[in-house]
Amino acid sequence: MSVLDTLRATVGDAHVREGTDAAPYLTDWRERYRGHALAVVSPASTDEVAAVVRTCATAGVPIVPQGGNTGLCGGATPDDSGRAVVLSLRRMNRIRAIDPYNDTMDVEAGCVLQSVQDAAREAGRLFPLSLGSEGSCTIGGNLATNAGGTQVLRYGTMRELALGLEVVTARGDIWHGLRGLRKDNTGYDLRDLFIGSEGTLGVITAATLRLYPLPVASCTALVALSSIDDAVALLSLARRGLGASLTGFELMAGDCLASVTRAFPAQRLPFEGNAATLPWYVLLELSDSESEAHARERFETVLGDAVANDSARDVVIASSFAQSRALWHLRESIPLAEKAAGKAVKHDISIPVSRMAEFVRDTNEALQHIFPGVRHVIFGHLGDGNLHYNVAPGAGWTDIALLARQEAIFDVVHAHIGRVGGSISAEHGIGQLRRDALAQFKDPIELALMHTIKHALDPHGTMNPGKVLIADS
Amino acid sequence: MSVLDTLRATVGDAHVREGTDAAPYLTDWRERYRGHALAVVSPASTDEVAAVVRTCATAGVPIVPQGGNTGLCGGATPDDSGRAVVLSLRRMNRIRAIDPYNDTMDVEAGCVLQSVQDAAREAGRLFPLSLGSEGSCTIGGNLATNAGGTQVLRYGTMRELALGLEVVTARGDIWHGLRGLRKDNTGYDLRDLFIGSEGTLGVITAATLRLYPLPVASCTALVALSSIDDAVALLSLARRGLGASLTGFELMAGDCLASVTRAFPAQRLPFEGNAATLPWYVLLELSDSESEAHARERFETVLGDAVANDSARDVVIASSFAQSRALWHLRESIPLAEKAAGKAVKHDISIPVSRMAEFVRDTNEALQHIFPGVRHVIFGHLGDGNLHYNVAPGAGWTDIALLARQEAIFDVVHAHIGRVGGSISAEHGIGQLRRDALAQFKDPIELALMHTIKHALDPHGTMNPGKVLIADS
């Protein structure tokens, strides 16, 4: 039997796609990458995944695991050789179990994030991972890329939210590692090795996720600031004054909010006069286990201190759920507003918070020196030291002219990241987009260790080849 | 030059110990293991560690890394071949940097935990790891065993408290992985691979630790309960009502507290009548970012609900710092009181919280059936699903008779752990003590993956051989 015949016999004819049926799986969401594949195969169970992997391993056929196909680095798109099989996990979308007293749930890799959030809420619990693509991204992709989002400050990234994994290894064996344990010191941490490995070491088929109590109340505030230094000082003040109730701390450049109100005139900045045109804004979210009134009172105390010591220039505290939503809507509209304004060279970076102001100042300056007129689009999760630091076509630039310089812009930004001990990918991963940059950027010993592990766990190099690491020759 | 001569030239004659000078390093804290070594070598810098490892690797000499030598599983004690070098990290005890705005500090592996806590506090920050041996254990050992302790419920284990590592690999290369970043998705998670690997993959020489704001206030409460089911229900209620302010939730059997008040008559249980003789007690700790008064008020609300719905039989909320300390002192005195009562067969286990009551009931019953008269000594971090489940000599037993049955007792307890999806080592690690049990207990695919990683990162098997994994023949 041919490989395709064996795969059809394993998952059923209807779940092996070729030709135009396969096309949507062969390009990424941003349409920056387009590949070819032998077929797109959609198994319905862990046993079927294992059988598919064994078939491919025996035949030396590369496997590209794919979830909701919402990745931003081309990690789930095959190369153009047409030799690979795309392994779609979307049919594995069962919530296997919820254990409210243990605050855990077992879910399959193909579950859409939002359906996991919903199932947790129905059980009276919170699954805190929250990000823009939650309506279509899957838990498997969230795990493969160690997804972050807007509540990392309090609950951590996907790594902190997964207690156990079920994984099909590169050989096609099944590791039954679903565990609902907060503490387990029995040998090497394989879970964290597979999380964030972007399908290059094996296929995550299910996970035990950590749940939290639903907050009783929440409240949102928007603060106008003169500088990033003031934003860093406000973060320190808010962490001290609000403790773990502080669940979000998002920085936005004034320019970004101006783009939003320009693109979407129904949205308005809730400030008047000088405070409406300041260079920086911070959105804070507070989750409270007492009441709405207590949440607002805590904000009034802490943000009142910030105004009194002059680190905050003006403050708006939402007085209703609708007002909270409107403030978040400003933040969430930035990517769309920027997309409307043209294509940008994007960076998803992380920087020690204490060096954030220095990094933005020096890197902006260097970019203006080499690429005069480019526009700086800066926003992100300051509470986690994570900025989306994008470079957009400004005066004298077209999209095409800017994208032609993408690699040169990457080089400047990455060099500045290196200088302040930062990371070139905070939450999006490496995929194809940052693979060559990673090889330049990483400590050589760390890179060598990564290659050693790749070679040990995937000796024939069939698991998502060409992603994260440059394939050994 | 001989290996010893080279080591002397590297670290200085005074820091290569042999004979009686070496003896304290060759037995573990509980004196259950005693080994021999070529020498005990104490380098003062990362470069010296790397040079020592290279010398040993070239000569095929095994290395046993050691910190404060407070481990409970014999992981830092050499075997009796006398071939190994014990690599003591104690001289590497500098706090390299504190960055309060980034909430991080860089410390060397040999720093004593308490000195790290103190340095953080001086900078106005909290380093939350807290455990019995904190006055002598070192950060390197805490990392090697992924230490837990009494605040895991809120702040996680050592794994969650380390952002970056500096490691000397088995080849003697230095991985410069100190990073103060909350998010960093640039390839495989080597940090979590070395954390918890008990020195079998390389030597951790320094770490970037995560700091938190100091709580403004804290408060302690003791609750008397009729059953473990009630304790589990109280945990759920307290998590919902107190959110992340709940920083400790310790379960103690009534028998354990009776042993404490018997051994240390100055200590007293703060209950009268029936509530003083119940089978279970829970100690709760609340850390607050507002005030002592607010902390007490929160406890009154939530624990009042527990009394009203009958899950709590009686409650004492500390009204002063001294009263809080006295309640904690009861908890902390259990191991000493038990030690005074005789030797026990100890288990450090983790169980899904929802199955805790079932586990304790069934395992107690099975043990009584096979070993009639043994005493059950049960206490631990219920909030993390972590029990110290110990079996002590009761009526008709001597220490010697009990310890002679240790392996048989392990077998019964481990079988019951397996049945409820638990772990045979929650926070103490594997070392020598649980190595053979691990080989029996683990999913075979997981065990095979662990051997693959060990072989890839330590191909000559010189890093702490015979710990965690049975050496490949």
Side-chain angles (χ1 to χ4, degrees), chain B residues 204-251:
Chain B
I204 296 171
T205 52
T208 304
L209 304 180
R210 192 195 279 257
L211 303 178
Y212 284 87
L214 279 169
V216 170
S218 65
C219 188
T220 310
L222 189 69
V223 179
L225 300 146
S226 300
S227 69
I228 295 187
D229 284 318
D230 284 346
V232 170
L234 178 65
L235 175 63
S236 190
L237 187 77
R239 279 172 56 92
R240 193 167 63 242
L242 304 172
S245 306
L246 182 67
T247 48
F249 194 96
E250 300 285 309
L251 179 74

Side-chain angles (χ1 to χ4, degrees), chain A residues 278-349:
Chain A
L278 285 176
W280 299 101
Y281 295 86
V282 164
L283 184 148
L284 298 93
E285 179 81 4
L286 193 158
S287 296
D288 199 272
S289 51
E290 296 179 47
S291 65
E292 299 279 350
H294 182 257
R296 256 196 302 281
E297 183 195 308
R298 293 306 299 148
F299 257 157
E300 281 163 15
T301 304
V302 170
L303 298 178
D305 288 350
V307 170
N309 79 12
D310 244 13
S311 63
R313 298 286 294 279
D314 206 349
V315 170
V316 165
I317 299 172
S319 62
S320 68
F321 182 72
Q323 280 189 19
S324 281
R325 281 306 316 147
L327 295 179
W328 270 105
H329 199 41
L330 284 168
R331 162 67 182 85
E332 288 158 356
S333 301
I334 294 174
L336 281 176
E338 287 298 330
K339 200 172 185 183
K343 286 198 159 57
V345 176
K346 300 193 174 194
H347 306 85
D348 163 47
I349 65 181

Side-chain angles (χ1 to χ4, degrees), chain A residues 243-263:
Chain A
S245 306
L246 181 67
T247 48
F249 194 97
E250 299 284 310
L251 179 74
M252 301 168 283
D255 291 349
C256 292
L257 292 181
S259 295
V260 169
T261 51
R262 212 162 30 236

Side-chain angles (χ1 to χ4, degrees), chain B residues 38-120:
Chain B
L38 193 62
V40 176
V41 179
S42 306
S45 69
T46 307
D47 285 338
E48 285 186 13
V49 173
V52 168
V53 171
R54 279 195 302 271
T55 298
C56 292
T58 305
V61 169
I63 295 172
V64 181
Q66 189 178 97
N69 199 15
T70 60
L72 296 171
C73 301
T77 309
D79 65 18
D80 54 14
S81 71
R83 289 181 54 239
V85 158
V86 172
L87 179 68
S88 169
L89 278 299
R90 288 194 212 177
R91 287 179 69 215
M92 288 197 62
N93 61 0
R94 279 191 316 132
I95 288 172
R96 292 192 191 162
I98 300 188
D99 182 342
Y101 270 115
N102 195 45
D103 282 315
T104 52
M105 68 195 291
D106 290 355
V107 307
E108 292 182 346
C111 287
V112 169
L113 172 54
Q114 197 162 57
S115 67
V116 171
Q117 295 167 342
D118 291 346

Side-chain angles (χ1 to χ4, degrees), chain B residues 347-423:
Chain B
H347 306 86
D348 164 49
I349 67 181
S350 133
I351 302 284
V353 172
S354 52
R355 306 196 70 177
M356 195 62 87
E358 165 196 354
F359 168 82
V360 170
R361 185 189 60 230
D362 292 354
T363 314
N364 284 1
E365 202 176 291
L367 287 171
Q368 286 303 329
H369 187 70
I370 310 173
F371 313 101
V374 294
R375 213 158 50 79
H376 308 291
V377 178
I378 301 172
F379 62 100
H381 320 296
L382 185 68
D384 316 315
N386 177 194
L387 285 191
H388 300 302
Y389 180 90
N390 300 337
V391 180
W397 287 90
T398 62
D399 288 17
I400 291 168
L402 187 80
L403 289 184
R405 306 300 304 275
Q406 172 160 296
E407 291 299 322
I409 293 172
F410 283 170
D411 286 347
V412 172
V413 175
H414 292 173
H416 279 81
I417 292 169
R419 228 164 277 166
V420 294
S423 165

Side-chain angles (χ1 to χ4, degrees), chain A residues 99-103 124-125 145-150 152-154 157 159-160 167 169 173-177 179-198 200-201 210-214 216 232-233 235-236 239-245 288-290 294 297-298 350-355 381 383-386 421-430 438 441-443 445-447 449-454 456-457 467-469, chain B residues 99-103 124-125 145-150 152-154 157 159-160 167 169 173-177 179-198 200-201 210-214 216 232-233 235-236 239-245 288-290 294 297-298 350-355 381 383-386 421-430 438 441-443 445-447 449-454 456-457 467-469:
Chain A
D99 183 343
Y101 271 114
N102 195 43
D103 282 315
R125 295 294 185 274
T145 59
N146 183 26
T150 54
V152 173
L153 180 60
R154 162 69 183 98
T157 63
R159 198 178 287 296
E160 282 86 42
V167 172
T169 69
D173 292 324
I174 301 170
W175 167 38
H176 295 283
R179 299 171 189 141
L181 304 174
R182 267 79 186 163
K183 285 180 172 174
D184 182 17
N185 282 351
T186 53
Y188 306 151
D189 181 10
L190 301 176
R191 176 191 65 193
D192 283 310
L193 193 56
F194 286 105
I195 295 175
S197 68
E198 306 189 30
T200 63
L201 301 177
R210 192 195 277 256
L211 303 178
Y212 284 86
L214 279 169
V216 171
V232 170
L235 175 63
S236 191
R239 279 171 56 94
R240 193 167 61 243
L242 304 172
S245 306
D288 199 272
S289 51
E290 296 179 47
H294 182 257
E297 183 195 308
R298 293 306 299 148
S350 131
I351 301 284
V353 172
S354 51
R355 307 196 69 177
H381 319 296
D384 319 313
N386 177 194
S423 164
I424 63 169
S425 184
E427 59 177 10
H428 293 171
I430 300 299
L438 186 76
F441 190 83
K442 271 278 169 186
D443 176 279
I445 299 299
E446 182 169 3
L447 202 62
L449 288 169
M450 284 170 52
H451 277 283
T452 300
I453 288 168
K454 168 73 174 174
L457 296 188
K467 314 295 166 55
V468 184
L469 296 174
Chain B
D99 182 342
Y101 270 115
N102 195 45
D103 282 315
R125 295 294 184 276
T145 59
N146 184 28
T150 53
V152 173
L153 181 61
R154 162 68 184 99
T157 63
R159 199 177 285 297
E160 282 86 40
V167 172
T169 70
D173 292 324
I174 300 170
W175 167 37
H176 296 282
R179 299 169 189 140
L181 305 175
R182 266 79 187 164
K183 285 180 173 174
D184 182 17
N185 282 352
T186 53
Y188 307 151
D189 181 9
L190 301 177
R191 176 191 64 195
D192 282 310
L193 193 57
F194 285 105
I195 295 175
S197 68
E198 305 188 30
T200 63
L201 301 177
R210 192 195 279 257
L211 303 178
Y212 284 87
L214 279 169
V216 170
V232 170
L235 175 63
S236 190
R239 279 172 56 92
R240 193 167 63 242
L242 304 172
S245 306
D288 199 273
S289 51
E290 295 180 46
H294 182 256
E297 183 194 307
R298 293 308 298 151
S350 133
I351 302 284
V353 172
S354 52
R355 306 196 70 177
H381 320 296
D384 316 315
N386 177 194
S423 165
I424 63 168
S425 182
E427 59 177 11
H428 293 171
I430 299 299
L438 186 76
F441 191 83
K442 271 275 171 189
D443 176 279
I445 299 298
E446 183 170 2
L447 202 61
L449 288 168
M450 284 170 52
H451 278 284
T452 300
I453 288 168
K454 168 74 174 174
L457 295 189
K467 312 296 165 57
V468 184
L469 297 174

Side-chain angles (χ1 to χ4, degrees), chain A residues 331-409:
Chain A
R331 162 67 182 85
E332 288 158 356
S333 301
I334 294 174
L336 281 176
E338 287 298 330
K339 200 172 185 183
K343 286 198 159 57
V345 176
K346 300 193 174 194
H347 306 85
D348 163 47
I349 65 181
S350 131
I351 301 284
V353 172
S354 51
R355 307 196 69 177
M356 196 61 89
E358 164 197 355
F359 169 82
V360 170
R361 187 190 58 231
D362 292 353
T363 315
N364 284 0
E365 202 175 291
L367 287 171
Q368 285 304 329
H369 186 70
I370 310 173
F371 314 100
V374 294
R375 211 158 51 79
H376 308 291
V377 178
I378 301 172
F379 62 100
H381 319 296
L382 185 68
D384 319 313
N386 177 194
L387 284 191
H388 300 302
Y389 181 90
N390 300 337
V391 181
W397 287 90
T398 63
D399 289 16
I400 292 167
L402 187 81
L403 289 185
R405 306 300 304 276
Q406 172 160 298
E407 291 300 322
I409 293 171

